[in-house]
Amino acid sequence: MAAKEAIIITDKDEMRKWTRSMRAQGNTIGFVPTMGYLHQGHLSLVQDAHNQADLIVVSIYVNPGQFSPNEDLSTYPSDFQGDIEKLNSVPGGVDVVFNPKNLYDYGNSQIGNGSERNLEESEEMVVSCVEDKGMGHETWVRVEKLEKGLCGNSRPVFFRGVATVVTKLFNIVEPDVVVFGKKDYQQWRIIQRMVRDLDFGIKVIGSEIVREHDGLAMSSRNVKLSPADRQRALSISRALSRAQVEAEKGQVNCRELINTAILTISEAGGTVDYAEIVDQESLEPVETIKRPVVFCVAVWFGKVRLIDNMEIDV
């Protein structure tokens, strides 16, 4: 049987029209938002979406709203044609790939009436969300408590950008179910809370972390690691796995578990951004493990920042 070839949609109105047409025929829509440069972890999200919905939409959009001025948006890896081939190869395939050009650019002052002109028609007028003049984007969604701490400490605009672009995508795609990976644990919890608080009629699924054969959590950033740093980065999963085992054996003192993990990673050459054991729901730090927690870490190896986590239920 030939692989299903996804329809590629770039226009917001066309995307919304497709979804509403499919739902009118009795179909449910599953959605997987991505920034592209797909790997097996992303494809596992698509497979999970197939278990939840009739038709699948995957977005490929590098969101400028979650990058701060000192983070170079232009260096984010991209391979659109390769992404399409991978999505077409997934069992069951993908029905639509939504690949908008820029969700934050507005070509004239008639915002909100569906008459935005495209970039080519009004290049001199279009202003990105990261600029502070003209008709740029100025409406943001914040999940104020959950966005603090963990990645929010070192990337203060990141989750504002994530919550906002996901809201925009939800309003365009109008899915019934959305799947996020648990590797980005804080992001997953933020989206869950946002959906609850804003009364989106969307079911949010958290998909388990997919790892390389040697334990490294799959990430689009892994390709930027030097061969030496790639090996050193294995200390992250080793440290988390050791903490999980020690907790299961009765070590419930979080400071002891954290210090041991930091030592393991630091001895391998990593620079720890943070290492925290937090409540799985509130993401509040805990001192003693008495309920389900998650051990979250962010580590620099060279110029590459990696995140990983391990759920601990004792």
Side-chain angles (χ1 to χ4, degrees):
M1 179 183 295
K4 177 191 290 186
E5 292 192 8
I7 302 168
I8 299 174
I9 296 178
T10 60
D11 180 74
K12 292 183 288 187
D13 291 335
E14 183 181 349
M15 181 70 254
R16 190 179 290 112
K17 181 179 179 181
W18 182 90
T19 299
R20 292 179 179 180
S21 173
M22 293 301 104
R23 185 175 289 109
Q25 298 174 35
N27 296 296
T28 54
I29 309 298
F31 180 40
V32 179
T34 82
M35 295 212 300
Y37 210 73
L38 306 182
H39 50 68
Q40 187 57 46
H42 295 106
L43 303 185
S44 73
L45 304 183
V46 176
Q47 292 168 338
D48 284 352
H50 272 293
N51 296 328
Q52 302 288 333
D54 301 317
L55 302 175
I56 308 301
V57 177
V58 173
S59 64
I60 296 178
Y61 178 66
V62 180
N63 173 34
Q66 66 195 57
F67 288 81
S68 63
N70 64 335
E71 297 173 327
D72 192 351
L73 173 65
S74 65
T75 65
Y76 196 86
S78 175
D79 179 17
F80 184 74
Q81 190 54 47
D83 290 344
I84 296 301
E85 293 172 1
K86 291 173 183 175
L87 291 172
N88 287 339
S89 71
V90 173
V94 167
D95 296 280
V96 170
V97 173
F98 180 46
N99 181 224
K101 299 305 179 187
N102 194 325
L103 292 178
Y104 295 89
D105 281 345
Y106 305 97
N108 58 34
S109 61
Q110 297 176 354
I111 295 176
N113 65 359
S115 63
E116 291 91 343
R117 288 179 288 176
N118 62 33
L119 181 61
E120 292 74 21
E121 292 174 333
S122 55
E123 185 172 359
E124 73 282 358
M125 299 176 64
V126 173
V127 179
S128 170
C129 66
V130 296
E131 300 181 49
D132 59 0
K133 59 184 182 297
M135 297 306 301
H137 185 94
E138 60 175 307
T139 303
W140 301 98
V141 178
R142 307 203 74 147
V143 183
E144 296 189 0
K145 188 173 181 180
L146 288 182
E147 74 175 28
K148 297 177 182 177
L150 301 177
C151 284
N153 285 328
S154 58
R155 305 187 72 188
V157 305
F158 178 74
F159 290 117
R160 179 192 76 170
V162 169
T164 300
V165 80
V166 170
T167 297
K168 290 167 73 70
L169 289 167
F170 284 175
N171 285 332
I172 295 166
V173 178
E174 298 183 339
D176 298 286
V177 179
V178 63
V179 183
F180 283 87
K182 285 187 179 182
K183 186 179 78 69
D184 299 286
Y185 199 91
Q186 187 176 14
Q187 173 179 275
W188 168 53
R189 289 302 193 188
I190 283 173
I191 299 303
Q192 277 191 321
R193 187 66 57 84
M194 182 188 78
V195 164
R196 186 200 73 176
D197 290 355
L198 298 184
D199 293 310
F200 281 104
I202 301 171
K203 181 180 180 181
V204 181
I205 303 296
S207 186
E208 299 301 325
I209 296 174
V210 177
R211 299 184 180 276
E212 304 282 0
H213 64 89
D214 54 10
L216 185 68
M218 287 191 176
S219 170
S220 299
R221 300 180 187 275
N222 290 350
V223 297
K224 294 185 176 183
L225 292 166
S226 69
D229 282 338
R230 172 67 175 72
Q231 283 300 116
R232 296 184 183 107
L234 299 180
S235 61
I236 300 174
S237 58
R238 286 201 306 268
L240 291 174
S241 295
R242 179 178 178 181
Q244 185 182 53
V245 170
E246 291 300 313
E248 291 172 350
K249 289 181 178 179
Q251 174 57 278
V252 294
N253 184 299
C254 293
R255 180 45 53 191
E256 293 290 334
L257 294 172
I258 290 170
N259 288 342
T260 300
I262 290 176
L263 181 62
T264 298
I265 295 169
S266 298
E267 287 181 341
T271 301
V272 177
D273 182 357
Y274 65 77
E276 294 189 42
I277 297 175
V278 300
D279 180 87
Q280 288 186 12
E281 294 284 343
S282 69
L283 304 185
E284 291 283 347
V286 299
E287 296 181 358
T288 304
I289 301 176
K290 299 178 181 179
R291 57 190 184 276
V293 296
V294 56
F295 194 166
C296 299
V297 299
V299 182
W300 289 93
F301 282 95
K303 295 182 178 181
V304 182
R305 183 178 182 272
L306 302 176
I307 62 172
D308 200 346
N309 66 77
M310 189 80 68
E311 290 180 321
I312 301 175
D313 300 309
V314 296

